[in-house]
Amino acid sequence: MALITGKKCGDEEMGPLGLETEVAEARTTFDSGKTKGFEWRKSQLQALLRLLQEKEEDMLKVLKEDLGKHRVEAYRDEVGALTKSVDNALLNLKKWMAPEKVSLPLVAVPTVAEIVPEPLGVVLVISSWNFPIGLSLEPMIGAIAAGNAAVLKPSELAPATSEFLAAEVPKYLDCEAIKVIQGGPQVAEQLLDLKWDKIFFTGSAQVGRIVMTAAAKHLTPVTLELGGKCPAIFDSLKSSRDQRMAVGRVAGAKWGSCLGQACIGIDYLLVTDEYAPTLIELLKGVIKEFFSNSEHLARIVNKHHFQRLCNLLQDESVAASVVHGGSVNAEELFIEPTILLNPPLDKEIMTEEIFGPLLPIITLKKIEDSIEFLRARPKPLVIYAFTHDEKFKQRIVDDTSSGCVMFNDTLIQYLCDTIPFGGVGQSGFGQYHGKFSFDNFSNRKPVGRRNFLIEFSFRYPPWNEKKLQLLRHIYRFDYIGFVLCFLGLKR
Amino acid sequence: MEGKTSNEVFNREKAEATVKELRQSFRAGKTKTYEWRAAQLEGIARLIKEKESEITQALRSDLAKPEMESYLHEISLAKSACLFALKNLKKWMKPEKVPAAITTFPSSAQIVSEPLGVVLVISAWNYPFLLSIDPVIGAIVAGNAVVLKPSEIAPATSELFAKILPEYVDSSCIKVVEGGVPETTALLEQKWDKIFYTGNGKVGRIVMAAAAKNLTPVSLELGGKSPVLVDSDVNLKVAVKRIAVGKWGCNNGQACIAPDYIITTKSFAPQLVEALKVTLERFYGKNPLESADLSRIVNLNHFKHLTDMLDEENVSDKIVCGGQTDEKQLKIAPTLLLDVPHDSLIMKNEIFGPLLPIVTVDKLEDSFEIINSMSKPLAAYVFTKNKKLEQEFLSNVSAGGILVNDVALHLANLYLPFGGVGESGIGAYHGKFSFDAFSHKKAVLSRGFAGEAGARYPPYTPEKQWILKGLINGSIVALFLALFKRF
């Protein structure tokens, strides 16, 4: 997914000089120490909360405009989730900021030590188009809580949201420290040329490489929240109630969240040959129940992605595997929930992240084969599995690798502040949410303190055997040996 | 056993084959078990014990490192890292249960540490034993397969690793590749699950750019100019001894956390210089070039880097102690300089040697501007009894680590993360931080089908929105309604 400009952000694209001036101001503001204090951070988070509350209608509106999201979906996935995160940050800010006391070995006595979190400085957040408010502000919460100045570049592919953020964020937040800079690939390139203390990127692997390469020039640490093909393993569940519920959760994750354009959405299903027909029927039923009215579904973000998805279905063998749906509406940029049964594994629909409402179902002889299937493929952001088999669950955790593993449900790991959210391998590195966001944007600085009272002469040259012996005892925590040696009573 | 022999060059094909073999070993699950990791650590502990004299000899050959320093700074630290890891391995490997949120009720959550896979450790020349084995210990304890590329600038130690490591550890999963730029380049072209590099910023950039091609996370342990702020209210005798042993007692200043320069007041500087002179003579005698307690400069290249700094105009006349050099022996005496120009080479670049410039200011508060005009160092030190100054130092100076009233000690504490910030690096290690540096923290969330929030699904209604709002914000009432309301 290249940085292709869809609808333009009007003439708001800042010339290079304007951009650099903005960033320089953020730097000056950080250097002044303004963003470091508890009061400032608290005030910014509170302002963010007010923004979420007062501008909720506007937010739901721009999300509808950019992505056709129903207001309830938009609230559930973006506005509401952010509210929860800001509340959580406000509640815990003091605790997160507090130094952490650390114990020390006797050799270093008398020393006390602690780990003091400090802000990194001026950070750059580059956001994505599919959850354009959520993926912009969620990292910003971490950056602010950790005491940084921050520049946000929202995705130009969600232009109404980008405009909204550029207009409203400066009204609520401290615009000398928090900046929103709009624009496309050129603006991103200019920003990436500058020196940052951290870059937080959400998007595709291809652009992730560009970001990290640019960051390398300045030794800037990065977090890359990428994607991948997130599978859902569907084991046989005994009760029909559980099955129905599970299928509902699958449908919600595939189509109910940005029409499948989500990094943690389900990309494809793995199920046994035996169970596949039942599953397909259940899915069809749920699709009818939830999504009969397409008003309750989002839209494909732009023509480029719409075409990309249509192209996935062009191949004869892929088209032949469609068992439900498949109709498209170019004007509306809508593709209906579509199910495919065993499209060939070497076609693009099974080699690239789909990021759309097409759901391949891959069947296996037995469900345990799913583990080998996954091990042969790049590590995704999340592996979903619907099963009651505890042994199987353990095998999935032990023998596969992914950012996260979620059993018997979908998507809600995004809302849980106590677990880290991030990828591994091709799905990225670095984590956030909750305290992980705070840590992501902090330097955890160890501080040790000594006094002058006790001094060990054997630390210093000129060296001799006795000093060496004393140190051997100390390093083995052999205090008796140390004392004897010190008093000259032991060799 | 990989190695560079006279008729064998480690090129791209060999690098590919090495990584392939390690991937197979890793996929087979060899490195994941507690038993395997413990066995490797025990092997390394045995290596350190049995080969102590060979290691000391190699360090003497590479750096003329005094035996005490070899013991203090390399062997004993490697040993404690190994033993600490063995002691805590089981605990670290256990999944961490965490509370789940009300929003996801009912659910259980844990964080599972898993190895990243096949990792590359590139080591440095100044503590060639420790800086190789310490990250390798971290890689092993986290369950990875690992390639170690020791520094070619410390050839005796590099050769020792290539020879003896395979005797003590599982060489189907842990390999040593010797070599310089071509071999390192061949290795960097491969796809790794993590790269851990210790060295300088210039090569650090090359490593990170190479890693970017494969989206490989990196840890970069780099350097910087570690400042020492000295207040006049301190116990001068003790302070000066600590500064001296931290500077010249650490590989003759060739250490990433050695004091690089001192800042003190104009009025206090003369006393400080005198005290340093006295201590230097006590430690190293009247002819420091002949002292067996000082490491030599590692090679001619680095020697010239240091003499260039000394010979610069307006710098050479600021020497107040030392300055003697012996190119044949690659020795430079502990040297103090007073008030060199701010734009001189010695103040612009990391010194990494036995030269110690002393910068004077009118009042100590003026020092923060000087310190912050340079890039963030790996360590920063302040000697003072004044709590206010200490606090100001802590708030105003950003560094990898800060030590008050002593130097370098924090690196020995396995409970403190050791790593840089900004130009001094990315990531941290030591103790559990090593385990974490080479692990992926996988979130595992588990739910059942007991409670179902019909409000989650379309068709959406205002009532559903109301319930979702409450649920997301942790409201018990909303939770109740969400669980029991039928749509």
Side-chain angles (χ1 to χ4, degrees):
Chain A
M1 189 183 86
L3 283 174
I4 292 184
T5 330
K7 298 183 239 173
K8 269 206 117 188
C9 294
D11 296 325
E12 269 84 4
E13 289 195 28
M14 236 176 251
L17 221 53
L19 188 155
E20 276 180 42
T21 316
E22 289 289 299
V23 177
E25 186 181 48
R27 170 74 56 195
T28 312
T29 308
F30 177 76
D31 287 343
S32 75
K34 195 180 188 196
T35 63
K36 289 181 160 187
F38 172 77
E39 288 307 326
W40 183 89
R41 304 185 204 192
K42 185 169 137 192
S43 73
Q44 296 306 293
L45 293 172
Q46 284 169 335
L48 204 49
L49 204 55
R50 274 198 321 275
L51 168 64
L52 290 167
Q53 286 161 352
E54 291 171 17
K55 297 290 170 183
E56 182 181 300
E57 273 312 308
D58 291 343
M59 287 185 178
L60 300 181
K61 215 174 92 200
V62 295
L63 289 171
K64 175 94 184 153
E65 198 181 318
D66 280 336
L67 293 150
K69 284 192 193 190
H70 189 283
R71 49 190 287 115
V72 176
E73 179 188 329
Y75 180 82
R76 183 195 68 203
D77 292 348
E78 303 208 46
V79 183
L82 283 170
T83 309
K84 161 211 59 87
S85 297
V86 178
D87 277 336
N88 185 56
L90 276 166
L91 191 64
N92 291 292
L93 183 58
K94 221 175 202 132
K95 190 169 66 173
W96 293 347
M97 283 176 72
E100 191 189 310
K101 287 235 177 298
V102 162
S103 71
L104 290 177
L106 206 60
V107 193
V109 145
T111 313
V112 284
E114 51 187 18
I115 299 176
V116 177
E118 58 174 26
L120 292 167
V122 184
V123 308
L124 173 63
V125 173
I126 300 177
S127 166
S128 174
W129 53 260
N130 54 342
F131 293 85
I133 295 188
L135 296 177
S136 294
L137 298 179
E138 186 75 47
M140 293 295 281
I141 293 171
I144 290 169
N148 301 280
V151 171
L152 166 67
K153 196 207 81 67
S155 173
E156 73 282 12
L157 300 186
T161 310
S162 178
E163 292 267 3
F164 168 83
L165 289 169
E168 298 301 325
V169 167
K171 289 191 198 147
Y172 285 81
L173 268 49
D174 181 350
C175 59
E176 288 177 348
I178 312 285
K179 310 260 177 206
V180 179
I181 296 183
Q182 295 198 77
Q186 272 173 340
V187 167
E189 214 178 290
Q190 282 160 28
L191 286 170
L192 287 172
D193 257 342
L194 306 173
K195 176 168 162 39
W196 302 94
D197 298 301
K198 173 105 196 194
I199 299 177
F200 189 105
F201 171 78
T202 308
S204 72
Q206 186 192 353
V207 179
R209 285 186 185 85
I210 297 172
V211 170
M212 189 170 170
T213 306
K217 295 202 191 82
H218 299 286
L219 294 170
T220 300
V222 302
T223 287
L224 303 178
E225 294 274 330
L226 310 175
K229 290 180 77 65
C230 298
I233 301 172
F234 211 102
D235 193 4
S236 55
L237 302 165
K238 296 275 168 42
S239 93
S240 60
R241 178 181 168 275
D242 288 358
Q243 281 177 40
R244 167 62 184 73
M245 232 186 252
V247 169
R249 290 171 179 179
V250 166
K254 182 64 182 186
W255 298 292
S257 200
C258 209
L259 202 58
Q261 301 161 102
C263 53
I264 48 169
I266 293 178
D267 191 279
Y268 63 100
L269 291 179
L270 289 166
V271 71
T272 56
D273 298 314
E274 203 187 324
Y275 190 65
T278 317
L279 182 56
I280 293 173
E281 283 315 302
L282 284 171
L283 275 167
K284 286 184 183 177
V286 160
I287 289 172
K288 196 154 160 223
E289 189 187 329
F290 288 175
F291 306 126
S292 290
N293 181 354
S294 77
E295 277 296 301
H296 292 244
L297 287 168
R299 294 291 176 272
I300 305 302
V301 67
N302 58 24
K303 279 198 174 55
H304 163 76
H305 279 285
F306 178 84
Q307 200 51 55
R308 178 185 65 81
L309 289 161
C310 291
N311 290 344
L312 291 179
L313 295 173
Q314 292 292 28
D315 181 281
E316 244 182 76
S317 51
V318 174
S321 68
V322 173
V323 296
H324 180 89
S327 68
V328 305
N329 181 331
E331 216 180 276
E332 285 251 320
L333 292 180
F334 181 70
I335 298 175
E336 69 166 313
T338 301
I339 305 174
L340 304 93
L341 181 58
N342 283 323
L345 295 176
D346 60 347
K347 298 296 175 188
E348 205 178 314
I349 197 171
M350 278 312 293
T351 59
E352 298 297 314
E353 187 176 5
I354 295 170
F355 229 66
L358 316 175
L359 180 65
I361 298 180
I362 308 296
T363 65
L364 310 157
K365 262 182 104 167
K366 38 190 208 343
I367 200 65
E368 289 79 11
D369 294 343
S370 55
I371 293 189
E372 269 319 302
F373 188 92
L374 294 177
R375 282 166 65 89
R377 287 166 172 76
K379 303 176 185 183
L381 202 45
V382 56
I383 291 176
Y384 295 108
F386 290 87
T387 179
H388 286 310
D389 184 341
E390 290 303 322
K391 274 214 180 73
F392 185 45
K393 281 188 193 175
Q394 196 56 49
R395 269 203 69 201
I396 293 173
V397 172
D398 291 341
D399 297 342
T400 67
S401 183
S402 55
C404 163
V405 179
M406 168 96 243
F407 290 116
N408 297 330
D409 207 335
T410 54
L411 302 183
I412 56 168
Q413 73 271 27
Y414 188 78
L415 296 176
C416 191
D417 286 316
T418 52
I419 50 175
F421 184 87
V424 66
Q426 294 294 102
S427 48
F429 54 83
Q431 300 175 317
Y432 73 135
H433 287 188
K435 182 168 192 283
F436 301 99
S437 289
F438 179 85
D439 290 340
N440 191 310
F441 288 99
S442 299
N443 173 35
R444 295 181 71 221
K445 183 170 76 178
V447 176
R449 284 181 183 80
R450 291 210 68 191
N451 59 37
F452 297 99
L453 291 179
I454 300 186
E455 188 54 346
F456 297 124
S457 71
F458 51 81
R459 275 180 69 184
Y460 308 113
W463 303 123
N464 56 45
E465 271 312 296
K466 173 149 184 205
K467 289 186 179 179
L468 182 56
Q469 261 313 97
L470 281 170
L471 282 160
R472 281 190 199 279
H473 289 303
I474 287 245
Y475 275 100
R476 283 202 217 109
F477 300 102
D478 174 8
Y479 302 116
I480 297 184
F482 168 76
V483 170
L484 291 175
C485 184
F486 191 76
L487 296 177
L489 297 174
K490 181 183 175 165
R491 287 231 140 265
Chain B
M1 179 178 88
E2 308 289 333
K4 189 175 154 201
T5 65
S6 53
N7 47 18
E8 207 183 277
V9 163
F10 191 88
N11 56 14
R12 177 180 299 166
E13 278 85 53
K14 282 210 136 247
E16 248 178 71
T18 304
V19 174
K20 196 164 162 210
E21 186 190 337
L22 288 176
R23 276 215 187 280
Q24 276 166 354
S25 304
F26 179 76
R27 280 188 60 107
K30 267 181 155 189
T31 63
K32 288 183 146 191
T33 64
Y34 168 80
E35 286 72 26
W36 182 89
R37 305 184 204 191
Q40 305 316 303
L41 293 173
E42 279 156 10
I44 292 174
R46 264 193 339 267
L47 180 158
I48 297 172
K49 185 159 168 222
E50 291 171 14
K51 300 291 181 189
E52 186 177 323
S53 68
E54 281 91 335
I55 296 168
T56 308
Q57 236 170 64
L59 293 171
R60 187 158 268 286
S61 164
D62 281 335
L63 295 150
K65 195 171 277 209
E67 189 185 340
M68 274 297 278
E69 278 190 43
S70 295
Y71 178 75
L72 257 182
H73 299 155
E74 300 221 38
I75 291 169
S76 63
L77 289 179
K79 199 188 302 188
S80 22
C82 205
L83 297 178
F84 189 81
L86 264 167
K87 192 168 124 200
N88 291 286
L89 179 57
K90 222 170 209 141
K91 187 170 69 173
W92 293 344
M93 282 177 72
K94 268 172 73 172
E96 182 194 334
K97 284 219 182 305
V98 294
I102 226 181
T103 319
T104 58
F105 180 88
S107 58
S108 74
Q110 53 180 337
I111 300 174
V112 172
S113 297
E114 56 177 36
L116 289 165
V118 180
V119 306
L120 173 63
V121 171
I122 302 175
S123 169
W125 55 259
N126 58 338
Y127 289 84
F129 182 74
L130 178 69
L131 297 177
S132 296
I133 206 71
D134 207 348
V136 166
I137 288 170
I140 290 171
V141 87
N144 299 280
V146 53
V147 167
L148 165 67
K149 211 245 20 113
S151 172
E152 71 281 16
I153 298 177
T157 311
S158 176
E159 213 180 294
L160 186 65
F161 267 120
K163 203 172 90 183
I164 64 175
L165 196 58
E167 292 169 21
Y168 289 86
V169 299
D170 178 356
S171 52
S172 72
C173 301
I174 301 167
K175 296 199 183 286
V176 179
V177 172
E178 290 195 85
V181 174
E183 289 79 6
T184 310
T185 307
L187 286 170
L188 285 173
E189 279 169 2
Q190 302 307 311
K191 177 166 161 38
W192 302 94
D193 297 303
K194 173 116 191 184
I195 300 177
F196 188 104
Y197 169 77
T198 307
N200 65 56
K202 185 164 143 251
V203 178
R205 282 170 170 80
I206 296 172
V207 170
M208 189 168 169
K213 296 202 182 80
N214 291 305
L215 297 169
T216 299
V218 300
S219 274
L220 304 176
E221 295 273 327
L222 311 175
K225 293 180 77 62
S226 299
V228 185
L229 185 59
V230 182
D231 197 355
S232 53
D233 67 352
V234 299
N235 177 331
L236 189 54
K237 230 171 103 186
V238 174
V240 150
K241 282 202 315 202
R242 292 176 179 177
I243 293 172
V245 82
K247 174 75 168 182
W248 297 285
C250 282
N251 217 17
N252 208 10
Q254 299 165 101
C256 50
I257 47 166
D260 188 279
Y261 64 102
I262 290 182
I263 305 185
T264 191
T265 53
K266 285 190 170 33
S267 49
F268 192 62
Q271 270 180 275
L272 181 57
V273 171
E274 264 322 295
L276 276 166
K277 282 185 182 175
V278 166
T279 302
L280 280 172
E281 196 174 311
R282 186 173 300 147
F283 283 5
Y284 305 114
K286 284 202 189 319
N287 295 315
L289 287 181
E290 284 156 36
S291 167
D293 291 335
L294 278 175
S295 297
R296 67 150 207 271
I297 305 305
V298 69
N299 60 21
L300 193 57
N301 209 4
H302 196 54
F303 183 89
K304 288 234 180 309
H305 158 85
L306 292 165
T307 51
D308 281 348
M309 284 183 173
L310 274 183
D311 295 338
E312 204 184 357
E313 209 183 308
N314 290 327
V315 172
S316 47
D317 58 339
K318 305 289 192 298
I319 297 176
V320 294
C321 172
Q324 307 97 305
T325 66
D326 179 342
E327 191 172 312
K328 228 173 87 197
Q329 305 235 49
L330 289 178
K331 288 205 165 202
I332 297 180
T335 302
L336 304 174
L337 303 97
L338 189 56
D339 281 327
V340 296
H342 281 293
D343 60 352
S344 54
L345 283 174
I346 201 173
M347 282 311 289
K348 285 212 302 233
N349 302 314
E350 184 176 6
I351 295 168
F352 223 68
L355 321 176
L356 184 61
I358 298 166
V359 175
T360 61
V361 289
D362 288 322
K363 47 188 205 323
L364 286 176
E365 288 73 14
D366 298 340
S367 59
F368 297 123
E369 209 184 304
I370 298 174
I371 296 175
N372 290 330
S373 71
M374 306 193 215
S375 58
K376 300 178 185 182
L378 195 47
Y381 307 106
V382 59
F383 282 83
T384 184
K385 284 185 179 151
N386 180 341
K387 286 288 167 198
K388 192 157 156 280
L389 182 68
E390 183 191 303
Q391 195 47 52
E392 264 183 66
F393 191 84
L394 287 182
S395 321
N396 286 308
V397 176
S398 180
I402 297 208
L403 198 48
V404 180
N405 295 332
D406 211 327
V407 166
L409 276 191
H410 59 297
L411 98 88
N413 176 5
L414 296 171
Y415 293 92
L416 290 175
F418 184 80
V421 62
E423 284 283 332
S424 50
I426 296 176
Y429 73 131
H430 285 186
K432 181 165 191 286
F433 302 100
S434 289
F435 177 82
D436 293 340
F438 289 97
S439 298
H440 165 56
K441 301 292 180 180
K442 183 162 80 177
V444 178
L445 196 56
S446 200
R447 286 201 86 193
F449 298 102
E452 182 57 333
R456 284 165 69 173
Y457 307 114
Y460 297 122
T461 64
E463 190 181 13
K464 284 188 179 181
Q465 177 169 3
W466 186 91
I467 291 181
L468 276 175
K469 205 165 200 161
L471 189 60
I472 288 172
N473 288 297
S475 150
I476 300 270
V477 171
L479 173 65
F480 185 83
L481 283 173
L483 291 178
F484 296 107
K485 171 105 191 190
R486 291 273 161 262
F487 284 104

